[in-house]
Amino acid sequence: MATLMIQGTTSDAGKSTVVAALCRVLARRGVSVAPFKPQNMALNSAVTVDGGEIGRSTALQAQACYLEAHSDMNPVLLKPETDRGAQVILRGKVYGHMDALDYHAFKRTAQESVMAAWRALESRFDVVIAEGAGSPAEINLREGDIANMGFAEAANCPVLLVGDIDRGGVFAQLVGTLALLSESEQARTKGFIINRFRGDITLLEPGLEWLQAHTGKPVLGTLPYLQGLVLDSEDSIGTIQAEKKSQVINIIVPALPRISNHTDFDPLRLHPQVALTFVGPEQTIPPADVIILPGSKSTASDLAWLKRQGWDNAIQRHLRYGGKVLGICGGFQMLGEWVDDPDGLEGQPGKVAGLGLLPLTTRMVPGKQLRNVSGVLVGETTTTTGYEIHNGISEGPALDRPLFDINGRPEGSVSEDGQIIGTYLHGLFDHPEACHALLKQLGLSDGEQSDYQAHRERELDRLADMLEAYVDIEAVIRLIEAGASPLR
């Protein structure tokens, strides 16, 4: 059994995609492989087969391995609630809320969970492909590190370092990162992968030769910039360009400060008949057919932000002109009359007025709801699947008109006039039949079916094909085979 770790010179250097690609390459070759991310900070998360919560990018890597996501794959997940504090998820379950200094002191305890989860994975799989977080060269965070070299040292595994040439300065990234590592960390860094290259490779080759001569470490591959690659992002709202047809439905989404699971919208952004726009702070709120209020990690504070930005008035005007409104998870809670957080589970304790569009009240209670669900749209035979990740429990007469029937349990709400819809389900647009039926409810009468799950599979295979073509996979496999740790 062996572990290989992929680390990056910066955030968004391409670690997640390289891990996903490598997982799919090995899985296609029949290798028993699993992904592992010791620590992640993200607001995009997924519910696991064992009822836990992990980062969405790790769940995608599990799919690359043809596996269901498990909480062992991402034992520490930090979900930011403010600029200085986060909810701490430990092996899939909420551990508590900590500010940055408290968490720094807590990392010794967190490392025990990290190593236990890694050992559990290694007992079930032949190969583990681990992913770092940010950069290993953050010297202010090196004490007690569990995300990068701290884990690699404890697991005694080899490391490959990824640099993003599209940002510029890739040689400085790689050499500088290596220089800030300890001697043992430099020794376990076995080579480099350069990501997102555009142009003639012959112009890059003198630099690659210099890098190998200067560091004594090989460049195992230079990956081309993949145009149009769309896969679940870890956190940032990326740009997705898709060709649109003449008949489209215009959807706008407020880019909340603590927006969570915005990957819900990737299927819509790729749909040929949907024009979806995120509207950021201080931007003019444009006219649209549908407004979707997304999930939020801090519902009350994001609700206050919405009101300061004028969305409450814009939504009322939108409804008067016959527009539709959909609220997902935190956005569903905002549609109600009150959001009550007596214990301050998502910020300051207190009760705040909602948008008053649905007769319901939400109370934040300890014990997060985490579950994968399946059911049907009320009044139809369309099957849907999704997942719930939320603290609040909503009550009120609005729930007497549910959107879904989840195995006999009513879920969500639809207003009497059909203009306002709310649900706790994430991932509701991922499957073609459900996406088609929901878009019809939102006003796209003659819509096409768009299969986002099939799209994910194609993109994962596209990544794997790229890795096979541009990386010395046999050299990577030799590293994995040589990476068996005496700690096992």
Side-chain angles (χ1 to χ4, degrees):
M1 292 174 284
T3 296
L4 172 68
M5 192 171 200
I6 307 297
Q7 296 184 18
T9 56
T10 63
S11 293
D12 198 34
K15 300 181 294 292
S16 296
T17 52
V18 169
V19 169
L22 185 54
C23 283
R24 178 52 63 95
V25 166
L26 294 174
R28 291 195 308 199
R29 295 186 179 201
V31 177
S32 170
V33 58
F36 182 69
K37 182 144 185 167
Q39 175 186 292
N40 195 1
M41 178 176 283
L43 287 174
N44 289 335
S45 58
V47 177
T48 61
V49 67
D50 57 320
E53 183 180 2
I54 66 172
R56 184 110 217 119
S57 59
T58 308
L60 179 73
Q61 291 161 358
Q63 183 176 341
C65 299
Y66 306 113
L67 298 173
E68 292 186 285
H70 192 282
S71 58
D72 284 340
M73 296 173 181
N74 178 203
V76 179
L77 174 62
L78 308 176
K79 304 189 78 172
E81 296 172 318
T82 67
D83 290 342
R84 300 182 63 176
Q87 183 182 68
V88 179
I89 311 292
L90 211 58
R91 295 195 79 174
K93 303 299 182 185
V94 175
Y95 183 88
H97 305 261
M98 299 184 191
D99 63 26
L101 287 176
D102 288 339
Y103 179 72
H104 189 65
F106 175 74
K107 284 196 286 188
R108 290 178 183 270
T109 302
Q111 185 176 29
E112 296 174 4
S113 291
V114 166
M115 299 309 291
W118 169 67
R119 291 189 181 99
L121 280 183
E122 284 221 321
S123 72
R124 304 197 297 272
F125 299 93
D126 293 336
V127 174
V128 172
I129 306 297
E131 179 189 351
S135 164
E138 303 291 352
I139 54 177
N140 57 311
L141 300 176
R142 286 177 57 80
E143 183 183 354
D145 169 55
I146 61 175
N148 291 295
M149 284 298 178
F151 168 76
E153 294 270 86
N156 194 20
C157 67
V159 172
L160 291 178
L161 189 61
V162 178
D164 179 7
I165 196 171
D166 195 52
R167 297 177 179 217
V170 73
F171 298 110
Q173 291 175 38
L174 295 167
V175 174
T177 298
L178 200 64
L180 290 173
L181 302 180
S182 70
E183 287 186 10
S184 63
E185 293 165 352
Q186 290 176 1
R188 74 175 57 258
T189 303
K190 301 300 183 181
F192 307 118
I193 293 175
I194 292 178
N195 193 29
R196 301 191 182 111
F197 175 72
R198 316 185 203 214
D200 188 336
I201 191 67
T202 59
L203 296 177
L204 184 64
E205 286 172 351
L208 302 181
E209 293 169 1
W210 176 91
L211 180 64
Q212 293 182 139
H214 183 78
T215 64
K217 300 182 185 298
V219 177
L220 295 181
T222 299
L223 300 176
Y225 191 103
L226 277 190
Q227 297 288 348
L229 179 69
V230 178
L231 280 169
D232 307 46
S233 70
E234 196 161 60
D235 227 10
S236 60
I237 300 175
T239 300
I240 296 176
Q241 298 292 339
E243 185 177 346
K244 304 299 179 183
K245 299 197 172 180
S246 57
Q247 183 195 359
V248 299
I249 183 171
N250 289 295
I251 299 175
I252 57 174
V253 181
L256 304 174
R258 299 294 169 193
I259 187 172
S260 65
N261 287 71
H262 60 69
T263 49
D264 286 339
F265 305 110
D266 288 352
L268 298 183
R269 297 165 81 184
L270 286 167
H271 195 289
Q273 293 173 280
V274 175
L276 187 143
T277 304
F278 284 95
V279 181
E282 310 305 329
Q283 291 183 341
T284 301
I285 301 171
D289 301 306
V290 181
I291 294 174
I292 302 182
L293 301 184
S296 166
K297 186 63 196 72
S298 300
T299 301
S301 63
D302 276 352
L303 176 57
W305 179 88
L306 272 182
K307 293 177 180 178
R308 289 195 303 272
Q309 298 291 319
W311 278 91
D312 50 348
N313 294 327
I315 290 171
Q316 291 287 357
R317 184 171 59 251
H318 172 79
L319 291 170
R320 286 197 300 271
Y321 282 93
K324 301 283 184 77
V325 175
L326 168 64
I328 300 174
C329 198
F332 177 31
Q333 296 170 347
M334 294 177 192
L335 294 175
E337 296 168 339
W338 296 97
V339 176
D340 188 10
D341 190 1
D343 299 318
L345 296 176
E346 291 192 353
Q348 292 297 318
K351 185 176 182 179
V352 299
L355 297 172
L357 300 176
L358 289 174
L360 62 85
T361 295
T362 297
R363 181 181 175 87
M364 302 298 177
V365 297
K368 184 181 287 190
Q369 301 292 317
L370 292 169
R371 51 194 170 196
N372 292 306
V373 301
S374 61
V376 296
L377 276 164
V378 171
E380 299 194 31
T381 58
T382 304
T383 300
T384 188
T385 62
Y387 56 99
E388 293 184 43
I389 303 177
H390 59 93
N391 281 320
I393 294 178
S394 299
E395 297 177 328
L399 304 181
D400 294 336
R401 295 179 53 87
L403 177 63
F404 294 112
D405 181 329
I406 306 297
N407 295 325
R409 174 175 66 90
E411 199 288 323
S413 176
V414 181
S415 64
E416 289 189 13
D417 59 9
Q419 280 187 268
I420 304 164
I421 301 170
T423 177
Y424 272 116
L425 297 195
H426 293 288
L428 67 168
F429 295 109
D430 283 10
H431 301 277
E433 294 83 6
C435 181
H436 178 75
L438 286 164
L439 285 174
K440 185 176 180 181
Q441 285 202 19
L442 293 173
L444 188 61
S445 58
D446 190 22
E448 298 179 6
Q449 286 199 7
S450 180
D451 191 338
Y452 189 63
Q453 288 285 51
H455 167 84
R456 276 195 183 111
E457 285 296 320
R458 287 193 300 271
E459 293 289 73
L460 287 169
D461 281 328
R462 183 182 173 204
L463 275 178
D465 292 343
M466 176 187 68
L467 211 70
E468 294 265 23
Y470 292 95
V471 169
D472 186 346
I473 294 295
E474 300 310 315
V476 174
I477 290 174
R478 289 194 294 272
L479 277 179
I480 293 171
E481 291 173 342
S485 167
L487 297 182
R488 293 175 179 80

